[in-house]
């Protein structure tokens, strides 16, 4: 059970920074499944839904990689991962809330 929890925590630790970095640099993958194509676009002033979906998809891939890697960690690494996940969640939450406040409320 602890290995699954370690995997989930490491997945979250990798998901949050990846999601924030995609927002920071404006990397928004657009998937066209019917065409079998993936395009990376940097739309100026893109609609917020495009940002959330593109960043979330990239973050989910990073989270899955983290989950798989975390399951191979020893069980006693859970304490360190719990500290890292709280630091990561606070940093990501501060960044995302601050960015949305500056972009949509203050401007």
């Amino acid at each position: 059970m602890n290995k699954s929890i370690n995997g989930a925590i490491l997945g979250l630790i990798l998901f949050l920074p990846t999601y924030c970095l995609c927002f920071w640099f404006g990397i928004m993958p657009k998937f066209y499944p019917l065409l079998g194509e993936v395009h990376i676009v940097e739309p100026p002033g893109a609609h917020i839904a495009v940002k959330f979906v593109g960043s979330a998809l990239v973050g989910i891939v990073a989270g899955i990689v983290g989950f798989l890697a975390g399951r191979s960690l020893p069980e006693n690494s859970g304490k360190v991962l719990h500290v890292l996940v709280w630091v990561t969640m606070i940093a990501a939450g501060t960044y995302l809330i601050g960015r949305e406040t500056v972009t949509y409320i203050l401007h």
Side-chain angles (χ1 to χ4, degrees):
M1 181 68 173
N2 286 341
K3 288 192 172 215
S4 293
I5 292 171
N6 288 348
I9 291 173
L10 187 60
L12 184 60
I13 290 170
L14 290 179
F15 168 77
L16 288 171
T18 304
Y19 183 79
C20 291
L21 286 173
C22 284
F23 249 77
W24 181 276
F25 291 109
I27 299 170
M28 309 299 159
K30 295 179 85 174
F31 296 92
Y32 298 98
L34 295 177
L35 301 175
E37 298 176 358
V38 177
H39 298 277
I40 304 295
V41 295
E42 296 181 23
H47 192 270
I48 192 68
V50 173
K51 287 184 178 183
F52 280 129
V53 172
S55 298
L57 289 174
V58 173
I60 287 170
V61 170
I64 289 171
V65 170
F67 175 74
L68 295 174
R71 291 183 58 113
S72 65
L73 292 175
E75 291 186 17
N76 60 359
S77 62
K79 292 179 183 177
V80 174
L81 289 175
H82 276 84
V83 170
L84 284 174
V85 79
W86 279 104
V87 169
T88 305
M89 285 194 306
I90 291 169
T94 303
Y95 165 71
L96 292 171
I97 291 169
R99 179 179 172 102
E100 297 304 310
T101 301
V102 168
T103 302
Y104 295 104
I105 295 175
L106 299 179
H107 285 283

